[in-house]
Structure formats: structure tokens, C-alpha cells
Amino acid sequence: MTELNNAIFSPDERSNWIRLRTLVVLRWFAICGQLIAITVASEVFNLDLNMGLCLMVIGGAVIGNLLALFIYPENKRLRERQAFQLLGFDLIQLAILLYLTGGLHNPFSLLVLAPITIGATVLNVRFTALLGISGIVMVTLLAVFHIPLATKTGIELKLPQLFLFGFWLSVCIGIIFLSIYARRVTGETHSMSEALVATQMALAREQKLTDLGGVVAAAAHELGTPLATIKLTSGELIDELDDREDLREDAKLIREQATRCHEILRSMGRAGKDDLQLKRAPLAAVLEEAAAPHMNRGKFIHFEFDQLLGIGQPQIQRRPEIIHGLRNLVQNAVDFASKHVWIGTSWENDHVEITIRDDGPGYPPHVLSRIGDPFVRSTSGQQKSERRPGYEGMGLGLFIAKTLLERTGAELLFANDEWSRQSKSTGAVVLVKWRQSDIVANEPLDSENQNFV
């Protein structure tokens, strides 16, 4: 799982995903809107605006956009600080324009939410908080310090104090709420996207291992004829080199090594053909294959085989999703178990169940409802290092297991249970359940094949 985690971007690197061109295009829209707003306000509604200063402020945004287009390539990806500086510039430019046009009495002051909300989707928590605090400070100053908004006849347009306070409060609450909301939704979206990439990588790796058997079988078949030719030729050389003992020994060595290669390839070819043809396997064999990498990790893994209603052990589809998903669940149980892990199975006419239990501390209650979500940290840093050395604690393994198994039609239930046979501690329990039509490959095996190895 380490290589998968390394392939995933850190949440603090999300700003690298936004292009400079995106912010430049958004700023062009804002510039057009600002020009239209002050023109309509001056010409249609006869407001007395300092058009020179307003156009200078808007011109500053135009110059900034042109510089960005000429200096940087169109596909420029922004770093965290660069994105923060651009959004901060937009916020300051808007605040100056609002100062010239009535401050918080201007209904367009609500647009201060735009750069802050965008920042919440691409910046980390520190920069997002700094941008939000800056917005609140600017709105507060604009409520007190501004050039009054008036008509050309001298009538001043301003909100009553109660409405002004309410508008200020609503903007501040909007900044806080939208920042948190956008940050949370964007964070979950990125986490899910990154975890799905890791899931696809895990599945592709498992599929490559499955396909390797076919490659081995083909290689053994293709190399068989050349090796047979080498053996035949070396045998003839041995018969013809009776008077050249040194060369005769070399020829014998060639035949011996060719024979050895032939035996190796025959063995690999047999295994490869078996693996290539093994699209289905007994339920017990699939469980043992999934648990095999964790059998010698210092924990006792017990298989418990249950048979209900006298039905023989089913043969299930030997799919990479099933094997890798179950392997991740076993890995999680072994990582947290004190000494023992139990893997139980049962089946009936309509469904197949697999239960994985351990005698560890169980799932923390505060994350039990979120198990299976990506990047869920279940333990503190100290506990994590003690219980699972070298483990990132991101919940990615369980997410991958859940995603892969659900793709095969499984339903998963995570819980804690007072069950351990070795102690009275609460252990973690995972129940995986399929309908037989989703997982069973053909008729059940005979009773003679129903035992675990």
C-alpha cells in the first residue's frame, strides 16, 4: 500500500491543479462586469461616480491579466502561494472599487464572497483562513470608510444603520459558511478521486499478476522446441566425441543444462496453465490465497469453515477484485490484532458470507460510521506508530477493499464485537456478503473437496 499512497497527491498540493488561465478568464469576466456596472450606474441611474479613479482600479486588473498572459505560458499551474497572491489581489481590487462606490452600501459588495470561495476550493486551510479573515476585515472597514454613493443631484444613497449592520453580518457569515462548505466539499471530492485512482492501480496490479500465468505458459510452450533440439544435438555430439574427452564433457554439460531448463519450463508451464484456467476456485482456496501474504507476520490466522443445510462448498469466481479486496481486509485485521485473526465462512442457497474478526482494540467509536471512506485517520500519531509501524493511517486500504468488493456485488458491514476467544477485549468484525448469483461460478464441489489445507 505504500507505493499507492506515494502516488496520491497531498491535499496541500491541490493548488497545483488549477491553471493560471482559469483565474485569468474568471478575472476577465469580473472586469467586464465591473465596467458594465459603473457605466450603467453612471449613465442610466445618474449616480455621481468618480469614473477616472474607478477606471484606474479596473485598469489595474486589466494590466495584471495582460502581464500574466505575456509572462507565463497558458498551461502554467499555480503553486499555493501564487494562487493566494492572485486571489488576494482580486480581493483588494474589489475592495478599492467598492470604497469608491459607496462601500457596504453598494449591493455589489456581496461579490467579495467570490475570490474567498474560489480560494477555499484550491488553497490549504492556512491560506483559506487568511483570505477569509482579510475579507471580513475589508468588509468591516468598508462599512465605516468609503466615498458616499450619491446621485448627480446630490441625494446620498445609504442603508439604515440596522440594515447596514444586518448586511455586514450576513456577508461575514457568508464568508465563513461558504469557505467551510466549499473547503469540505472540495476536500471530499479530491479525496474520493485520489482514492479511486489508488483503487484502479491496485486492481491493475492484481490483474497483471493474474495474467502472468498465461505469459509463463506461452513462454514454456515456445521454448520447448528449441530446448528439445539442443538436447538432441548435444546427444549426437556426445556419441561422436569419444576420442575428445574434454569436448565430450562440455557436450554432456550442455545436455544436462538443457534438460534442467526443460524441466523448469515444464513446471512453470503447468503452473501457468493451471493459473490461466483457474477462473473459478473453491471458496476455501480463494480465502487462503487472499490471506497467504499475511500468514507469517507473527499473528495466528484461523480458518473456520461452516456448512449450512448440507450444501457442498461452492466454487466462486476467482476475480482480482475479490482476492485483493479480501487481502486488504485480512491485512487490516492482522495489523491491529493482538495475537489472533479468525476468518469464517458460511453459505446457503441464496448467499455466501465471509467474516473476518480479530482480537485487537476494535474500531474507534468516533470513526466507526465512516469506515470505508478514504483518508479517515482512526488513531492518533503515537497510537498509530505503536499499533501499525510504518502505516500512514489514511483508511485507503479499507476504502480500496470496500470499493473492489462492492464492485463484485458484495455488501460490507464493519462493527465491533465482544467475541475474542483469547480475551474479553472488543475486536473488529468485517462481514462480507454476496448473493450466490453474483459470486458462485458453477455447481458446488463434492464433499471430498470441502476441507481446508
Side-chain angles (χ1 to χ4, degrees):
M1 195 61 61
T2 303
E3 62 271 21
L4 296 180
N5 291 339
N6 292 337
I8 303 302
F9 293 103
S10 166
D12 291 338
E13 295 174 346
R14 289 180 188 144
S15 62
N16 291 326
W17 296 0
I18 188 169
R19 294 186 303 169
L20 174 63
R21 180 179 177 83
T22 302
L23 293 184
V24 168
V25 171
L26 291 176
R27 186 182 287 171
W28 282 126
F29 280 111
I31 290 171
C32 292
Q34 291 170 358
L35 287 173
I36 293 173
I38 63 172
T39 301
V40 171
S42 177
E43 302 299 328
V44 177
F45 295 102
N46 295 318
L47 297 182
D48 185 18
L49 302 177
N50 192 330
M51 294 296 292
L53 291 177
C54 290
L55 291 175
M56 285 181 60
V57 175
I58 298 174
V62 173
I63 293 174
N65 261 11
L66 293 177
L67 289 175
L69 289 176
F70 283 112
I71 294 177
Y72 299 104
E74 289 189 359
N75 60 350
K76 166 71 175 177
R77 296 276 179 178
L78 296 176
R79 295 184 178 275
E80 195 94 53
R81 187 173 297 276
Q82 292 172 331
F84 171 74
Q85 290 171 347
L86 281 177
L87 293 172
F89 174 83
D90 292 337
L91 187 62
I92 294 173
Q93 188 263 353
L94 179 59
I96 296 174
L97 192 60
L98 289 173
Y99 170 80
L100 297 173
T101 56
L104 209 58
H105 296 277
N106 187 334
F108 286 99
S109 58
L110 189 65
L111 292 176
V112 76
L113 296 173
I116 298 174
T117 304
I118 294 174
T121 64
V122 298
L123 301 177
N124 62 21
V125 176
R126 180 168 60 94
F127 282 120
T128 300
L130 186 57
L131 201 63
I133 293 173
S134 300
I136 293 175
V137 171
M138 291 180 183
V139 169
T140 304
L141 293 176
L142 287 173
V144 180
F145 304 102
H146 56 268
I147 296 176
L149 191 63
T151 65
K152 293 181 179 180
T153 58
I155 301 176
E156 185 176 341
L157 304 176
K158 63 179 182 179
L159 294 173
Q161 288 299 316
L162 181 60
F163 283 91
L164 181 64
F165 174 76
F167 190 42
W168 170 83
L169 184 62
S170 65
V171 172
C172 292
I173 293 176
I175 290 174
I176 297 173
F177 174 76
L178 288 178
S179 297
I180 296 175
Y181 182 81
R183 175 74 188 179
R184 181 69 180 270
V185 171
T186 305
E188 291 184 357
T189 302
H190 283 309
S191 296
M192 186 63 68
S193 176
E194 294 161 2
L196 287 174
V197 170
T199 303
Q200 293 297 331
M201 291 172 61
L203 182 58
R205 182 178 62 183
E206 195 69 25
Q207 187 65 54
K208 288 179 180 178
L209 294 176
T210 302
D211 295 340
L212 185 60
V215 176
V216 171
H221 174 74
E222 295 296 330
L223 292 174
T225 300
L227 284 175
T229 302
I230 294 173
K231 287 178 61 179
L232 178 62
T233 305
S234 60
E236 293 177 352
L237 287 175
I238 292 172
D239 295 336
E240 295 176 2
L241 294 173
D242 292 334
D243 56 340
R244 298 289 302 274
E245 189 62 28
D246 54 341
L247 297 180
R248 180 182 174 86
E249 292 299 324
D250 291 340
K252 286 183 178 180
L253 179 62
I254 292 174
R255 185 174 65 176
E256 291 173 359
Q257 295 302 314
T259 303
R260 181 182 177 188
C261 290
H262 181 74
E263 293 297 327
I264 293 174
L265 286 175
R266 185 171 62 177
S267 172
M268 294 174 62
R270 186 183 302 113
K273 290 177 181 178
D274 291 343
D275 185 71
L276 184 63
Q277 296 172 358
L278 193 58
K279 300 301 182 183
R280 58 181 182 270
L283 177 60
V286 173
L287 284 174
E288 288 185 339
E289 181 179 358
H294 309 291
M295 295 292 291
N296 299 316
R297 292 183 52 198
K299 308 294 173 64
F300 297 99
I301 298 181
H302 309 275
F303 294 97
E304 296 194 336
F305 201 61
D306 187 19
Q307 178 179 343
L308 302 179
L309 304 179
I311 303 173
Q313 176 186 167
Q315 280 191 326
I316 66 173
Q317 302 171 19
R318 186 180 173 275
R319 298 173 56 179
E321 297 97 322
I322 296 176
I323 295 173
H324 195 82
L326 292 174
R327 184 170 295 162
N328 277 10
L329 294 180
V330 174
Q331 174 187 346
N332 188 76
V334 171
D335 286 340
F336 277 107
S338 296
K339 292 183 179 179
H340 300 273
V341 173
W342 294 269
I343 302 177
T345 61
S346 64
W347 60 88
E348 294 183 352
N349 285 323
D350 58 346
H351 71 269
V352 175
E353 292 184 359
I354 296 175
T355 305
I356 301 174
R357 306 171 182 261
D358 62 70
D359 62 347
Y363 300 117
H366 65 282
V367 299
L368 188 57
S369 61
R370 297 183 58 198
I371 289 181
D373 291 344
F375 309 108
V376 175
R377 300 184 181 275
S378 60
T379 60
S380 65
Q382 182 178 0
Q383 292 174 328
K384 174 180 65 179
S385 61
E386 293 175 356
R387 295 293 301 161
R388 300 179 74 171
Y391 177 66
E392 292 291 340
M394 301 174 74
L396 193 56
L398 288 179
F399 170 81
I400 291 176
K402 186 171 184 291
T403 302
L404 293 178
L405 292 174
E406 286 181 345
R407 181 178 295 182
T408 67
E411 297 180 4
L412 278 78
L413 174 64
F414 299 90
N416 292 322
D417 188 17
E418 296 285 349
W419 183 84
S420 173
R421 295 185 175 184
Q422 304 297 324
S423 66
K424 295 183 179 180
S425 61
T426 303
V429 182
V430 183
L431 174 64
V432 187
K433 182 176 181 179
W434 289 273
R435 293 179 302 178
Q436 287 227 17
S437 58
D438 291 332
I439 191 175
V440 173
N442 63 354
E443 294 298 325
L445 294 176
D446 296 331
S447 58
E448 62 183 4
N449 297 321
Q450 293 179 9
N451 296 323
F452 277 100
V453 179

